[in-house]
Amino acid sequence: MLNRRSFFHVAAGVAGGSLIVPPALADLPPAAEALPQNESYWAKVAAQYDPAPDFINLEQGYFGMMARPVAEEYKRNIDYLNSHSSRFLRQEFDGSGIEAIRAQIAMAVDADISEIAITRGATESLQNLIVNYKPLKAGDTIMYADLDYDATQYAMNELALRRGAEVAVVRIPEPPGRQAILDAYAQAMRRHPRTRLLLLTHISHRTGLTLPVAELTEMARQRGIDVIADAAQSWGQTDFTVADLKADFIGFNLHKWLGAPLGVGFMYIRKARLADIAVHMSDQDYAATDIRSRVHSGTVNTANIMTVPAAFRFHEQIGVANKSARLKYLRNYWVERVRGVKGLQILTPDDPSMYGASTSFRFAGKTSKEDNQRLARRLMDEHGIFTVSRNGPIGGSCVRVTPALFTTTRQLDRLARAIATLG
């Protein structure tokens, strides 16, 4: 296992543009064996995690459990940081250490390091991008959807309040087919010709719906509308770079599908657009020409940032394409087994480009917040299955199911049997 010296040796290689590959973190078969239905391979992956044995965790969408090798590295980093304290931070990590990790993140999304700033998560990234968006003027319109994340909706409302702008909300149709979604946004843009800023969520935390962000961004650009993209739920389970989304401003998490410790993410601002996001809170630690002046988190949990390279190594051992295929396989596995349940509504379409790991369901006539909180409680209390209720979709509240790489098909069989008893 890497010590601090070899960690920074690896980091220096990343910063220089040539990744020095350290030893694998886990004893896994070759990634070529990672076919989505190869239960033998995925059992070996699942063995790298330590979920609590007294319930089935199907709420991976909140944050991603660290694999054991990553968690062990995190614990070592906590101990090292605690003992070496400010000397380590001031003389090593705050300079070349964190810059090397920033460079590694930039390489992973095919961006320039000058376009990446490390944050405490996608929420901080997106809030800073939104409230510091400079081109908005009084009388302009900002637009977001009912499926966008609550904190980002709040930030958009705050921006409108500060600038005297109007707010327009897109209602995502049900069932949410690709063309229906494109039409809904196009109609909203025509109804609100003064729209200047659009928030787009790549994968919804409410239903698991994957939006065609690239197409919508192009549609917006043709009308002179900027896009801020929320990739909190997508990056790490879906294979894409910043160019693939086409947005100039994007917020990311590292503690969801990459599997880094809680409390770390990053923001992306395309280099040519940096001046359109104001310096955050008049920061003076970095120049206005430096993206790092767009976030000032104070003293943060540095050990979690130190552990990001370990999370990358475990992630790369499996491969993002393999992760994505397995998670979609697990999603389809339980969905196919509940299709005949009377009154059950599945809230993502069957188009593979429009879902990932998460999918939500509801029962006809049970659309209130209280109804679905009750369903989630019944799943836990009666069947030992942990899920979460979500509000906001046009057709009513729902229950979200999000399997993980450690989820087994046997557990999903149990979920399917449980759902059949809920109607």
Side-chain angles (χ1 to χ4, degrees), residues 325-386:
R326 175 63 175 179
L327 291 167
K328 288 186 176 186
Y329 173 82
L330 293 173
R331 177 267 181 197
N332 288 335
Y333 186 93
W334 75 265
V335 167
E336 289 300 321
R337 282 157 179 76
V338 298
R339 287 198 185 278
V341 175
K342 184 178 179 180
L344 188 70
Q345 300 171 351
I346 301 297
L347 300 189
T348 58
D350 291 332
D351 180 346
S353 69
M354 299 188 74
Y355 62 80
S358 296
T359 286
S360 294
F361 69 88
R362 72 165 78 92
F363 282 90
K366 295 182 178 179
T367 59
S368 71
K369 176 181 178 180
E370 292 74 20
D371 284 336
N372 287 276
Q373 287 177 335
R374 192 175 303 114
L375 290 177
R377 282 198 301 270
R378 285 188 61 191
L379 282 172
M380 184 64 193
D381 294 345
E382 299 173 18
H383 304 279
I385 299 172
F386 186 66

Side-chain angles (χ1 to χ4, degrees), residues 243-385:
D244 294 322
L245 295 190
K246 298 184 183 295
D248 292 334
F249 315 106
I250 311 174
F252 295 85
N253 271 321
L254 290 163
H255 59 229
K256 286 190 186 287
W257 295 102
L258 186 76
L262 269 172
V264 60
F266 63 101
M267 71 164 65
Y268 163 80
I269 303 175
R270 187 166 66 87
K271 191 183 305 185
R273 299 301 309 277
L274 180 62
D276 288 321
I277 304 296
V279 170
H280 187 61
M281 302 289 287
S282 299
D283 181 84
Q284 295 184 31
D285 284 356
Y286 296 99
T289 53
D290 191 319
I291 189 175
R292 290 170 294 180
S293 65
R294 272 62 179 180
V295 58
H296 192 137
S297 304
T299 304
V300 299
N301 178 7
T302 305
N304 62 6
I305 302 174
M306 293 165 64
T307 310
V308 167
F312 267 116
R313 295 202 297 278
F314 187 80
H315 173 75
E316 289 160 2
Q317 274 190 265
I318 299 169
V320 64
N322 294 329
K323 288 175 69 170
S324 179
R326 175 63 175 179
L327 291 167
K328 288 186 176 186
Y329 173 82
L330 293 173
R331 177 267 181 197
N332 288 335
Y333 186 93
W334 75 265
V335 167
E336 289 300 321
R337 282 157 179 76
V338 298
R339 287 198 185 278
V341 175
K342 184 178 179 180
L344 188 70
Q345 300 171 351
I346 301 297
L347 300 189
T348 58
D350 291 332
D351 180 346
S353 69
M354 299 188 74
Y355 62 80
S358 296
T359 286
S360 294
F361 69 88
R362 72 165 78 92
F363 282 90
K366 295 182 178 179
T367 59
S368 71
K369 176 181 178 180
E370 292 74 20
D371 284 336
N372 287 276
Q373 287 177 335
R374 192 175 303 114
L375 290 177
R377 282 198 301 270
R378 285 188 61 191
L379 282 172
M380 184 64 193
D381 294 345
E382 299 173 18
H383 304 279
I385 299 172

Side-chain angles (χ1 to χ4, degrees), residues 208-231:
L209 176 68
T210 301
L211 284 186
V213 169
E215 293 173 71
L216 291 169
T217 300
E218 287 288 3
M219 180 190 298
R221 184 169 286 125
Q222 292 169 10
R223 292 169 170 80
I225 302 170
D226 279 328
V227 166
I228 294 176
D230 177 352

Side-chain angles (χ1 to χ4, degrees), residues 2-161:
L2 296 177
N3 57 28
R4 297 319 99 179
R5 181 181 296 275
S6 59
F7 168 83
F8 286 119
H9 178 58
V10 170
V14 175
S18 59
L19 180 60
I20 301 172
V21 182
L25 281 183
D27 183 17
L28 293 177
E33 297 181 18
L35 299 176
Q37 69 276 20
N38 185 350
E39 298 301 333
S40 174
Y41 174 86
W42 293 105
K44 293 181 174 65
V45 173
Q48 301 296 322
Y49 293 86
D50 296 303
D54 55 338
F55 69 97
I56 297 173
N57 187 350
L58 293 178
E59 217 308 67
Q60 181 76 357
Y62 196 171
F63 69 94
M65 184 184 297
M66 287 179 281
R68 189 183 312 111
V70 180
E72 290 171 352
E73 176 69 2
Y74 181 41
K75 294 169 188 175
R76 281 189 288 271
N77 286 334
I78 292 172
D79 289 342
Y80 189 91
L81 180 61
N82 192 54
S83 61
H84 289 74
S85 189
S86 54
R87 178 180 175 184
F88 167 70
L89 290 179
R90 291 191 183 281
Q91 296 188 351
E92 297 182 64
F93 189 78
D94 286 348
S96 61
I98 196 168
E99 280 301 276
I101 295 170
R102 184 173 164 229
Q104 186 175 18
I105 293 168
M107 289 173 63
V109 295
D110 198 21
D112 190 87
I113 188 173
S114 67
E115 298 174 318
I116 299 297
I118 295 174
T119 66
R120 291 175 292 184
T123 298
E124 181 174 61
S125 300
L126 292 161
Q127 286 177 330
N128 286 17
L129 289 170
I130 291 166
V131 299
N132 293 320
Y133 176 76
K134 291 169 63 176
L136 191 72
K137 298 179 175 60
D140 287 343
T141 299
I142 62 170
M143 184 178 292
Y144 58 80
D146 51 6
L147 295 188
D148 290 328
Y149 188 57
D150 304 76
T152 60
Q153 293 186 18
Y154 307 154
M156 292 287 278
N157 293 339
E158 174 67 16
L159 175 65
L161 184 64

